[in-house]
């Protein structure tokens, strides 16, 4: 009987169920004939052996906006059997790419599908209902993009430059537009890159330098990490869940593991990244990594475990500090001075053949003025003397013996030992003292001599993409920037100096721009440029929302109508990133000079306008003298925009970008890395550039010139005792609808509990909650005084949280735009709990004005 | 004929789920995934990373119970599924000791990994293996893959899940400590029921890639031969 069934090709499901029911045959299923390994159909005959799609094209592209690594890959275009259309299907790797090594990640794959997201914005929208906010219907009317842009230009004419804010990263077009209009530009990269960027600028890279490029992703790192050849790494909370999905980094951590690199992790959270790559994991009290780093500095200097040659030849370690002013002594020409052991006198540092690095104070006289001086290394030694392993252990709750062991092992692995740091780790901007930790990390990497050395912190070299101003110098200086910018950057001379005089594309003071908009009400028009979604995704968006309600003109250039749109007067449709050409250098693994390019996968399907075209249009209308080569405003004399053509021509690679792309869009010079060569070219005091450990600029604004332990502004108090840790799901980036409006990624997030807040069993017991319960999180009103917005979320109890005094929140969800079918009203928003900053408070705690000045502590109660 | 297998070294996996998404794009199964149905999925559990995917058993229960031959065990490893034949009875869902086949209520069909049989035919690795950023997922000829799994397990004191579970499979998952802790189902173990020639003389095999190419070429040749034969028939 069973045989009969199995051979009956026409048996329907209904027939079968009827049969099973009538014979009570569930049990009898096992008596069906044993068909395993029965004669197969010839290979290729089985439906699952037949190709699902036929590849039509492979289009080179470069990732952007999914993370900082920017993997190069191919977009595969094929006939899609589901939609019956020829479309982008998936990605294929480019093994020659030094960043990605032929890999890509889930976010890159999701970009392929977001091209076809039905919620993509295809037309320009204009508001008819003046009442703003996600609870109000904007009464959108569609409008031709060209007409919308013309209307916006007319509106912008009504405002003074100081009344306009450009919320955009510092790409070449935004830079030129903001500078030519004389308006403030402030962007989210404070969040992403600010701390790193500015501390790197102050210690290593001194912009602008010869490798300072107008890269596609304006992260401005010129320092990457040679994980592949490292022998020892220390990760201070570096292993965030967000990094679990960054292919351009994962491939190198994998190589490090295969090559036997020791990785020591300090983190109150046990991540899968640590499970995979850490040799040792130590739980640490949140916000205390700096204490461990300071104790390590103490041990390494006290025991003379540092790299003597590197410190003498390539750093400011021998440079002399006036003990009275705590500033470095310089020659009239501005060179640092060193104390010569042979001649027993101060000499310019590059001339001195035998500089001392410890000892003193030495006495010297310059222009009849007497000074008591010490070398910088001695100054640091004196400063960190009090930071013993015992002291650090009490603060961090990491064992004293561990701190001593790790410090010694780290130093002994020199110069192949370094501490990496990107955003969203302990030295990222999300925590108090993060700028000091970043500084301490750079000093530790200097002590091992790993900077500009293979197996260490490697520096970008021999590549350069020019800026628009390099192609056509403005006919006259750009107008003055507003004297009192809305992000208060003028109150922070250490970073304002870099922004104004060295690098206009530097990150703005994001942590205070919301405060500025809300409190000063000086701004009347705001122009958001995608991916500035960060403003709403990040800290205390309620302050920005309240200020935008009163704004005269709000414009958003975006791939989606997302929640910024609900406060906008116009939303201008942007192309998808795969609809644009790309040209990039390999910042995240800059071991070899390399250029990669990308071609558009398709033409934008709607009435979109590219950012470059939009910026040029506004620039030509409002500041034509700066957008034409002769200042005439004649459209025929518009400034050239072909930056990539110039880069390729200057390097002798191709005569233009089209030729480069025809050749495959990839060029690399795999020469041997020349240790300590680039630091000479880009460091302080170039052409004999050095790494700086001692920052005069900090002292000038009454902060210590080297890192010290300092009291935090915001501490645990009463019921507000849970330290708020922030990460994001490996497949989500900010609150970007490219990812959170993707239903598959939403499902993966939910299945991995990343739409919940994570606490451990002990904490759950204390609060009295169980898995899946709803909880309410609240910041202490002492610190978030205005516009509080408690967060309601589901709880996930996990032993990955190593301490009971922490709660982990996932950033990037909690979008409130109702029109986004998947992302709308899904999850919570971490930023609601983190206060925008009063600049007067920031000024007391952080001379860069970049990081947050608190570790946020919240209460958790059952909802 | 050579057989093929997958090795997942969870000590290199970070739970990024690039494998899952690449699989979805390969099979154009976005709708099913939206409904929570994945051919392969990585759960970041407290005790480790759980890769939920077909183990491609040597002696698959799903094949045994399928009343309409929709499931079949191929000679070269994968357990294949013919959607056209499937009547949605869910016998396989109930029978699988690893709880792998997933029933899609909308289509009344099941969903499970085919080891990308269609890609093997094109001399390509399965999509998940090609995409895995850390190389945690590796594909190759069974002998070499099993040899590699044993070598790693011995060197790094890891457990091989799938080696003797359900009397052997074509999927070897290396875990640190008990697989159960990471979420893998405790499946009755037995002596692998497979032709000796497929797994014997494992030893320290050279790198897998060479072996794959050799095997794939054979497949490709066979495929071409069949095509030629069919052409001649026409």
């Amino acid at each position: 009987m069973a045989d009969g069934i199995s051979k009956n090709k026409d048996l329907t499901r209904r027939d079968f169920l009827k049969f099973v029911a009538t014979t009570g045959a569930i049990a009898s299923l096992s008596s069906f004939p044993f068909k395993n390994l029965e004669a197969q159909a010839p290979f290729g005959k089985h439906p699952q052996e037949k190709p699902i799609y036929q590849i039509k094209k492979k289009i080179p592209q470069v990732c952007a906006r999914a993370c900082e690594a920017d993997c190069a890959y191919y977009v595969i275009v094929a006939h899609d059997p589901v939609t019956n259309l020829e479309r982008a299907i998936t990605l294929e790797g480019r093994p020659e790419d030094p960043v990605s090594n032929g890999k890509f990640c889930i976010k890159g794959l999701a970009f392929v599908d977001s091209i076809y997201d039905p919620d993509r914005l295809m037309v320009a929208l204009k508001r008819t209902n003046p009442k703003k906010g996600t609870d109000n219907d904007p009464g959108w009317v569609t409008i031709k993009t060209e007409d919308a842009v013309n209307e916006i230009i007319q509106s912008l004419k009504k405002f003074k430059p100081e009344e306009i804010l450009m919320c955009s990263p510092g790409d070449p077009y935004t830079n030129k537009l903001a500078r030519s209009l004389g308006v403030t530009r402030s962007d989210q990269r404070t969040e992403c890159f600010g701390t790193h960027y500015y501390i790197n600028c102050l210690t290593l890279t001194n912009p602008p330098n010869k490798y300072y490029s107008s890269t596609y992703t304006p992260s401005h790192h010129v320092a990457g990490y040679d994980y592949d050849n490292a022998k020892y790494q220390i990760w201070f909370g570096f292993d965030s869940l967000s990094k679990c999905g960054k292919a351009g980094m994962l491939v190198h951590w994998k190589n490090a593991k295969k090559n036997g690199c020791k990785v020591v992790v300090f983190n109150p959270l046990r991540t899968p990244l640590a499970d995979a790559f850490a040799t040792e994991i130590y739980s640490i009290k949140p916000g205390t990594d700096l204490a461990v780093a300071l104790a390590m500095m103490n041990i390494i200097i006290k025991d003379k475990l540092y790299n003597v040659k590197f410190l003498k030849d390539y750093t400011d370690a021998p440079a002399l500090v006036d003990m009275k002013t705590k500033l470095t002594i310089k020659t009239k020409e501005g060179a640092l001075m060193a104390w010569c052991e042979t001649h027993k006198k101060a000499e310019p540092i590059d001339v001195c053949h035998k500089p001392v690095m410890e000892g003193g104070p030495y006495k010297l006289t310059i222009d009849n003025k007497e000074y008591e001086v010490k070398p910088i290394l001695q100054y640091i030694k004196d400063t960190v003397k009090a930071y013993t392993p015992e002291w650090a252990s009490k603060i961090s709750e990491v064992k004293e013996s561990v701190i001593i062991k790790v410090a010694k092992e780290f130093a002994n692995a020199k110069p192949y030992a370094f501490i990496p740091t990107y955003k969203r780790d302990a030295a990222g901007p999300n925590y108090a003292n993060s700028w000091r930790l970043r500084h301490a990390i750079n000093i530790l990497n200097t002590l091992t001599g790993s900077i500009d050395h293979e197996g260490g912190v490697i520096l970008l070299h021999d590549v350069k993409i020019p800026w628009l101003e390099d192609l056509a110098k403005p006919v006259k200086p750009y107008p003055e920037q507003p004297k009192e910018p809305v992000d208060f950057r003028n109150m922070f001379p250490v970073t304002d100096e870099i922004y104004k005089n060295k690098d206009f594309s530097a990150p703005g003071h994001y942590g205070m721009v919301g405060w500025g908009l809300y409190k000063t009400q000086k701004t009347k028009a705001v122009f958001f440029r995608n991916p500035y979604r960060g403003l709403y995704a990040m800290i205390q968006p309620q302050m920005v929302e309240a200020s935008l309600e009163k704004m005269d003109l709000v414009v958003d250039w975006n791939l989606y109508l997302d929640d910024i749109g609900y406060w906008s007067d116009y939303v201008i449709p942007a192309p998808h990133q795969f609809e644009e050409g790309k040209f990039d250098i390999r910042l995240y693994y800059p071991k070899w000079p390399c250029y990669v390019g990308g071609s558009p996968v398709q033409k934008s399907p709607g009435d979109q306008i590219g950012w470059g075209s939009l910026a040029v249009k506004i620039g030509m209308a409002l500041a034509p003298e700066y957008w034409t080569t002769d200042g005439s405003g004649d459209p025929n004399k518009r400034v050239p925009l072909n930056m990539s053509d110039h880069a390729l021509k200057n390097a002798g690679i191709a005569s233009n970008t089209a030729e480069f792309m025809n050749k495959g869009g990839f060029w690399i010079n795999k020469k041997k890395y020349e240790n300590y060569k680039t630091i000479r070219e880009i460091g302080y005091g170039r052409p004999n550039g050095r790494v700086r450990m001692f920052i005069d600029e900090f002292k000038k604004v009454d902060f210590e010139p080297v890192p010290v332990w300092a009291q935090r502004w915001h501490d645990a108090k009463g019921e507000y005792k849970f330290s708020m840790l922030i990460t994001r799901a490996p497949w989500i980036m900010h609150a970007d609808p490219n990812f959170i409006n993707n239903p598959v990624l939403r499902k993966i997030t939910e299945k991995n509990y990343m739409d919940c807040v994570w606490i451990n069993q002990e904490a759950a017991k204390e609060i009295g909650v169980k898995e899946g319960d709803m909880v309410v999180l609240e910041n202490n009103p002492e610190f978030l005084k205005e516009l509080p917005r408690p967060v309601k979320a589901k709880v996930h109890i996990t032993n990955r949280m190593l301490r009971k005094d922490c709660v982990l929140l996932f950033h990037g969800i909690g979008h409130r735009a109702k029109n986004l079918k998947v992302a709308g009203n899904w999850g919570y928003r971490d930023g609601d709990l983190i206060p925008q900053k009063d600049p007067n408070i920031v000024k007391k705690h952080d001379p860069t004005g970049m990081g947050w000045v608190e570790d946020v502590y919240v209460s958790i109660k059952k909802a | 004929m050579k057989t093929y297998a997958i090795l997942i070294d969870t000590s290199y996996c970070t739970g990024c789920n690039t494998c899952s998404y690449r699989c979805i794009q390969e099979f154009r199964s976005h709708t099913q995934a939206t409904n929570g149905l994945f051919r392969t999925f990585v759960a970041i559990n407290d005790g480790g990373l759980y890769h939920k995917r077909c183990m491609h058993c040597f002696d698959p229960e799903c094949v045994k119970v399928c009343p309409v031959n929709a499931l079949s065990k191929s000679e070269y490893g994968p357990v294949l599924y013919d959607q056209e034949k499937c009547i949605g009875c869910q016998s396989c869902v109930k029978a699988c000791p690893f709880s792998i086949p997933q029933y899609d209520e909308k289509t009344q069909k099941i969903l499970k990994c085919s080891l990308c049989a269609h890609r093997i035919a094109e001399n390509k690795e399965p999509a998940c293996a090609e995409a895995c950023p850390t190389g945690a997922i590796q594909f190759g000829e069974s002998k070499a893959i099993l040899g590699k799994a044993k070598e790693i397990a011995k060197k790094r004191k890891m457990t091989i899940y799938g080696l003797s579970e359900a009397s052997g499979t074509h999927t070897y998952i290396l875990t640190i400590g008990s697989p159960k802790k990471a979420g893998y189902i405790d499946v009755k173990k037995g002596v692998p029921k497979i032709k000796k020639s497929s797994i014997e003389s494992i030893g320290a095999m050279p790198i897998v890639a060479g072996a794959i190419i050799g095997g794939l070429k054979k497949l490709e040749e066979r495929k071409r031969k069949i095509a030629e034969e069919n052409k001649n028939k026409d």
Side-chain angles (χ1 to χ4, degrees):
Chain A
M1 197 193 301
D3 258 345
I5 289 169
S6 67
K7 284 172 189 166
N8 183 355
K9 287 181 187 169
D10 299 320
L11 183 77
T12 64
R13 182 172 182 274
R14 177 177 284 191
D15 291 336
F16 173 74
L17 291 176
K18 206 193 298 174
F19 168 78
V20 170
T22 51
T23 58
I26 291 291
S28 76
L29 288 172
S30 60
S31 68
F32 279 9
F34 193 88
K35 297 185 292 292
N36 185 24
L37 294 174
E38 68 179 18
Q40 296 294 302
F43 188 82
K45 286 281 182 184
H46 193 283
Q48 287 200 312
E49 289 166 345
K50 289 176 182 156
I52 297 166
Y53 53 83
Q54 292 291 345
I55 296 174
K56 304 276 185 192
K57 276 184 276 184
K58 288 184 186 181
I59 300 167
Q61 260 293 344
V62 186
C63 209
R65 300 175 200 159
C67 88
E68 321 87 306
D70 299 344
C71 297
Y73 43 57
Y74 293 104
V75 177
I76 301 298
V77 174
H79 181 263
D80 175 26
V82 176
T83 55
N84 213 19
L85 296 169
E86 186 173 309
R87 54 160 275 181
I89 291 276
T90 188
L91 301 179
E92 199 175 287
R94 293 196 76 159
E96 67 275 28
D97 174 24
V99 168
S100 69
N101 287 1
K103 297 293 181 179
F104 43 79
C105 78
I106 184 168
K107 297 192 294 298
L109 293 172
F111 271 136
V112 173
D113 290 322
S114 69
I115 301 175
Y116 311 100
D117 186 332
D119 287 345
R120 258 191 75 177
L121 191 61
M122 294 293 163
V123 291
L125 301 174
K126 183 181 176 179
R127 167 183 293 277
T128 55
N129 179 3
K131 201 161 166 51
K132 296 177 175 178
T134 45
D135 292 331
N136 303 304
D137 179 355
W140 294 121
V141 289
T142 57
I143 175 172
K144 268 178 75 178
T145 296
E146 196 185 345
D147 295 342
V149 173
N150 288 334
E151 287 185 22
I152 291 161
I153 288 168
Q154 291 311 313
S155 294
L156 284 170
K157 283 179 181 169
K158 294 177 206 155
F159 305 107
K160 293 177 196 150
E162 57 270 29
E163 292 172 337
I164 301 171
L165 173 68
M166 290 230 47
C167 289
S168 171
D171 63 273
Y173 295 100
T174 303
N175 275 359
K176 190 167 176 69
L177 187 57
R179 293 177 88 174
S180 61
L181 300 181
V183 306
T184 298
R185 180 188 62 77
S186 191
D187 68 16
Q188 65 161 2
R189 284 174 311 134
T190 301
E191 210 53 61
C192 304
F193 305 112
T195 314
H196 304 313
Y197 171 77
Y198 282 110
I199 300 293
N200 265 353
C201 282
L202 292 163
T203 55
L204 305 181
T205 60
N206 193 19
N209 59 59
K210 62 190 284 192
Y211 304 123
Y212 173 68
S213 280
S214 69
T215 52
Y216 179 79
T217 300
S219 59
H220 294 319
H221 283 254
V222 295
Y225 301 105
D226 190 7
Y227 301 105
D228 302 41
N229 298 294
K231 290 183 179 157
Y232 204 100
Q233 294 173 48
I234 298 171
W235 293 5
F236 284 118
F238 180 73
D239 52 317
S240 57
L241 277 154
S242 58
K243 293 199 187 82
C244 289
K246 299 188 174 189
M249 298 171 199
L250 288 172
V251 295
H252 298 289
W253 297 328
K254 174 210 59 176
N255 290 342
K257 179 172 171 168
K258 286 204 186 292
N259 292 335
C261 177
K262 182 162 183 176
V263 176
V264 177
V265 169
F266 294 100
N267 200 337
L269 165 74
R270 184 175 55 81
T271 64
L273 202 62
D275 286 348
F277 300 122
T279 321
E280 291 166 14
I281 305 172
Y282 299 103
S283 173
I284 187 170
K285 189 175 179 185
T288 66
D289 307 73
L290 176 64
V292 174
L294 290 170
M296 284 179 60
M297 283 166 59
N298 179 7
I299 295 162
I300 293 169
I301 299 175
K302 182 168 63 67
D303 293 353
K304 296 190 191 299
L305 299 173
Y306 46 78
N307 188 326
V308 176
K309 188 165 169 39
F310 179 74
L311 289 189
K312 274 191 180 167
D313 294 349
Y314 298 99
T315 78
D316 64 353
L320 299 173
V321 178
D322 174 6
M323 295 312 292
K324 202 172 167 189
T325 60
K326 291 188 179 177
L327 294 170
T328 50
I329 298 282
K330 285 179 181 159
T331 64
K332 279 176 189 160
E333 292 76 31
L336 294 167
M337 304 279 280
W339 187 261
C340 178
E341 199 183 330
T342 313
H343 303 125
K344 308 286 182 214
K345 63 169 189 171
E347 294 172 349
I349 199 164
D350 294 326
V351 172
C352 183
H353 292 289
K354 211 171 179 189
V356 298
M357 295 197 291
E358 293 193 44
Y362 305 103
K363 285 190 178 170
L364 64 95
T365 308
I366 302 172
D367 294 338
N368 295 326
K369 205 176 160 193
E370 285 195 348
Y371 296 90
E372 273 206 342
V373 295
K374 278 186 181 180
I376 281 174
L377 191 66
Q378 182 64 45
Y379 184 94
I380 298 173
K381 189 179 180 180
D382 296 344
T383 307
V384 297
K385 202 175 162 188
Y387 304 134
T388 63
E390 190 189 358
W391 166 86
S393 178
K394 275 184 195 150
I395 291 176
S396 63
E397 297 175 20
V398 175
K399 276 186 189 166
E400 195 184 331
S401 58
V402 168
I403 299 170
I404 297 168
K405 182 182 81 104
V406 171
K408 289 186 175 176
E409 285 178 354
F410 177 72
N412 288 333
K414 63 182 174 292
Y416 297 91
F418 64 86
I419 305 171
T421 166
Y422 298 134
K423 61 176 181 169
R424 293 211 182 284
D425 52 46
N430 299 13
Y431 304 98
N433 285 337
S434 65
W435 64 279
R436 287 189 172 98
L437 177 61
R438 188 67 173 87
H439 190 182
I441 285 173
N442 274 11
I443 291 177
L444 282 163
N445 289 340
T446 304
L447 292 174
T448 62
S450 67
I451 291 172
D452 197 18
H453 194 285
E454 192 176 35
V457 182
I458 45 177
L459 302 176
L460 187 75
H461 55 282
D462 298 336
V463 281
K464 166 86 192 247
I465 306 175
W467 295 85
L468 286 172
E469 287 78 3
D470 297 330
L471 270 53
K473 208 176 165 217
V475 288
K476 59 178 184 176
Y478 286 125
E480 281 288 306
Q481 282 282 299
K483 287 200 167 41
E484 291 181 347
V486 68
D487 66 357
F488 305 103
R489 70 177 79 210
N490 56 317
M491 288 173 66
F492 299 85
V494 174
T495 43
D496 197 33
E497 170 69 13
I498 295 171
Y499 174 78
K500 276 198 313 206
N501 298 327
K502 291 184 169 187
D503 174 15
F504 188 78
S505 67
H509 287 55
Y510 172 81
M512 294 172 292
V513 72
W515 182 277
L517 288 170
Y518 181 68
K519 291 283 181 181
T520 69
Q521 298 192 11
K522 283 191 291 198
T523 306
K524 301 215 162 74
V526 184
F527 202 122
F528 291 102
R529 191 215 132 170
N530 171 289
Y532 197 74
R533 66 234 170 199
L535 191 61
Y536 278 106
M538 299 304 286
I539 63 178
Q540 208 178 0
Q542 49 270 45
M543 216 168 233
V544 180
E545 289 166 12
S547 61
L548 293 186
E549 274 171 25
K550 296 171 190 158
M551 213 65 73
D552 292 343
L553 176 69
V554 182
V555 181
D556 180 27
W557 178 82
N558 205 328
L559 188 63
Y560 291 85
L561 169 61
D562 63 18
D563 53 5
I564 296 174
Y566 284 79
W567 280 270
S568 296
D569 297 289
Y570 294 90
V571 186
I572 307 295
H576 188 277
Q577 66 140 319
F578 286 165
E579 289 161 359
E580 294 171 321
K582 306 269 181 65
F583 186 66
D584 203 1
I585 45 182
R586 308 286 66 201
L587 285 171
Y588 269 68
Y589 197 71
K591 200 161 181 184
W592 304 284
C594 181
Y595 290 105
V596 292
S599 301
V601 170
Q602 64 172 28
K603 275 187 185 168
S604 294
D607 194 15
Q608 288 89 347
I609 182 167
W611 176 246
S613 307
L614 181 53
V616 170
K617 209 165 166 44
I618 299 171
M620 285 293 285
L622 300 180
E625 63 274 33
Y626 296 104
W627 288 83
T628 42
T629 49
D630 58 358
S632 63
D634 178 353
N636 295 319
K637 291 181 177 165
R638 198 204 63 201
V639 293
L641 308 170
N642 53 342
M643 292 168 284
S644 49
D645 289 346
H646 280 258
L648 290 162
K649 210 171 169 182
N650 291 343
I653 296 165
S655 54
N656 56 43
T657 314
E659 186 193 325
F660 179 63
M661 292 314 297
N662 282 338
K663 287 179 183 170
F666 185 85
W667 175 89
I668 193 165
N669 179 4
K670 274 210 159 181
K671 62 177 187 177
K672 191 169 164 44
Y673 191 85
E674 293 175 77
N675 296 329
Y676 306 142
K677 180 175 177 266
T678 306
I679 195 67
R680 288 293 194 221
E681 297 169 355
I682 67 170
Y684 276 81
R686 58 184 188 241
N688 290 307
R690 288 171 183 266
V691 176
R692 287 205 313 181
M693 296 188 282
F694 187 97
I695 310 298
D696 284 309
E697 291 91 326
F698 288 163
K699 185 60 209 159
K700 287 176 186 166
V701 290
D702 296 328
F703 281 82
E704 278 295 319
V706 295
V708 293
W709 182 254
Q711 201 55 43
R712 284 164 288 181
W713 173 55
H714 189 165
D715 222 334
K717 224 172 191 181
E719 61 181 334
Y720 305 97
K721 61 184 174 186
F722 296 95
S723 179
M724 184 170 141
L725 309 179
I726 301 164
T727 191
R728 57 178 174 73
W731 37 84
I732 285 174
M733 188 71 173
H734 299 303
D736 187 342
N738 276 300
F739 311 113
I740 55 169
N741 205 46
N742 177 321
V744 176
L745 294 185
R746 176 169 173 168
K747 191 52 83 177
I748 297 175
T749 307
E750 289 167 347
K751 278 168 77 89
N752 273 308
Y753 308 102
M754 291 185 189
D755 56 338
C756 301
V757 296
W758 289 13
I759 54 172
N760 77 9
Q761 189 68 49
E762 250 183 293
K765 210 170 157 188
E766 217 170 84
I767 311 159
V769 292
K770 55 182 190 314
E771 178 73 20
D773 278 352
M774 292 302 288
V775 289
V776 174
L777 287 78
E778 217 164 335
N779 195 337
N780 189 340
E782 201 181 306
F783 298 103
L784 200 152
K785 290 182 176 153
E786 292 174 76
L787 306 173
R789 193 149 70 186
V791 155
K792 200 174 168 189
K794 215 168 22 170
V795 80
H796 174 55
I797 301 166
T798 167
N799 69 20
R800 287 193 174 275
M801 298 298 290
L802 301 174
R803 297 176 60 97
K804 68 169 186 175
D805 55 359
C806 307
V807 56
L808 181 70
L809 273 75
F810 287 85
H811 167 65
I813 47 178
H815 224 294
R816 298 194 175 98
K818 291 184 172 68
N819 61 299
L820 293 177
K821 291 181 200 75
V822 179
N825 289 322
W826 168 46
Y828 58 85
R829 188 177 294 197
D830 57 336
D832 291 358
L833 294 168
I834 305 155
Q836 279 279 331
K837 306 301 179 294
D838 178 343
N840 293 310
I841 292 172
V842 178
K843 211 169 156 53
K844 286 182 199 159
H845 295 271
D846 179 358
T848 70
M850 276 294 139
W852 306 355
V853 291
E854 75 272 80
D855 292 335
V856 175
Y857 288 89
V858 295
S859 65
I860 309 178
K861 288 175 194 152
K862 195 170 173 179
Chain B
M1 186 185 191
K2 280 184 175 162
T3 63
Y4 297 91
I6 281 262
L7 165 64
I8 301 173
D9 180 350
T10 61
S11 75
Y12 275 89
C13 176
T14 61
C16 72
N17 272 292
T18 301
C19 51
S20 316
Y21 206 94
R22 181 64 189 83
C23 170
I24 290 159
Q25 288 188 333
E26 185 69 13
F27 287 91
R28 320 308 302 150
S29 57
H30 298 70
T31 308
Q32 286 101 326
T34 300
N35 295 325
L37 306 171
F38 294 79
R39 282 178 173 81
T40 181
F41 183 80
V42 189
I44 300 172
N45 289 337
D46 284 10
L49 298 162
Y50 171 42
H51 286 248
K52 187 176 166 69
R53 54 160 63 208
C54 179
M55 301 294 287
H56 298 286
C57 302
F58 291 162
D59 188 12
E61 292 297 323
C62 60
V63 173
K64 290 182 206 172
V65 300
C66 180
V68 289
N69 284 342
L71 286 151
S72 56
K73 176 73 180 175
S74 68
E75 290 171 290
Y76 56 99
V79 173
L80 299 176
Y81 166 65
D82 187 342
Q83 188 174 277
E84 292 303 311
K85 287 184 182 171
C86 179
I87 54 171
C89 69
Q90 300 183 64
S91 304
C92 54
V93 175
K94 289 164 199 153
C96 175
F98 298 98
S99 287
I100 295 303
Q102 292 167 83
Y103 182 62
D104 182 348
E105 288 186 356
K106 286 197 177 151
T107 58
Q108 301 192 338
K109 303 283 179 186
I110 63 145
L111 196 80
K112 75 155 217 71
C113 164
S114 67
L115 211 67
C116 278
H118 64 290
R119 289 174 61 94
I120 297 175
E122 291 173 337
N123 285 354
K124 287 178 181 170
E125 298 176 278
C128 60
E130 185 187 274
C132 176
T134 61
I137 306 175
Q138 292 177 45
F139 172 77
E141 196 267 311
S142 294
K143 280 185 191 176
I145 283 289
L146 182 56
K148 194 164 194 179
K150 285 186 170 177
E151 192 188 321
I152 297 170
K154 194 177 166 191
K155 203 169 149 189
R156 301 217 305 270
K157 295 188 179 81
M158 296 177 84
T159 307
I160 310 177
Y161 182 78
L163 182 63
S164 49
E165 276 78 9
S167 300
T169 76
H170 283 268
T171 304
Y172 306 117
I173 298 171
L174 288 165
T175 65
I176 295 169
S178 155
K180 199 176 167 185
K181 251 176 55 189
Y184 295 93
I185 295 173
D186 214 357
V187 171
K188 201 179 164 191
K189 294 183 181 181
V191 182
K193 291 179 189 171
I194 188 166
K195 278 185 276 179
K196 207 181 167 196
S197 62
S198 294
I199 53 164
E200 69 186 355
S201 13
I202 301 300
M205 288 295 293
I207 192 66
V208 182
I212 301 176
I213 292 160
L216 292 172
K217 274 186 179 163
K218 277 196 170 176
L219 277 179
E220 195 58 13
E221 276 165 26
R222 188 176 161 192
K223 198 178 161 192
R224 212 179 303 123
K225 232 177 187 177
I226 292 164
E228 269 172 29
E229 279 168 19
N230 288 343
K231 210 176 164 187
N232 292 341
K233 275 180 203 167
D234 292 341

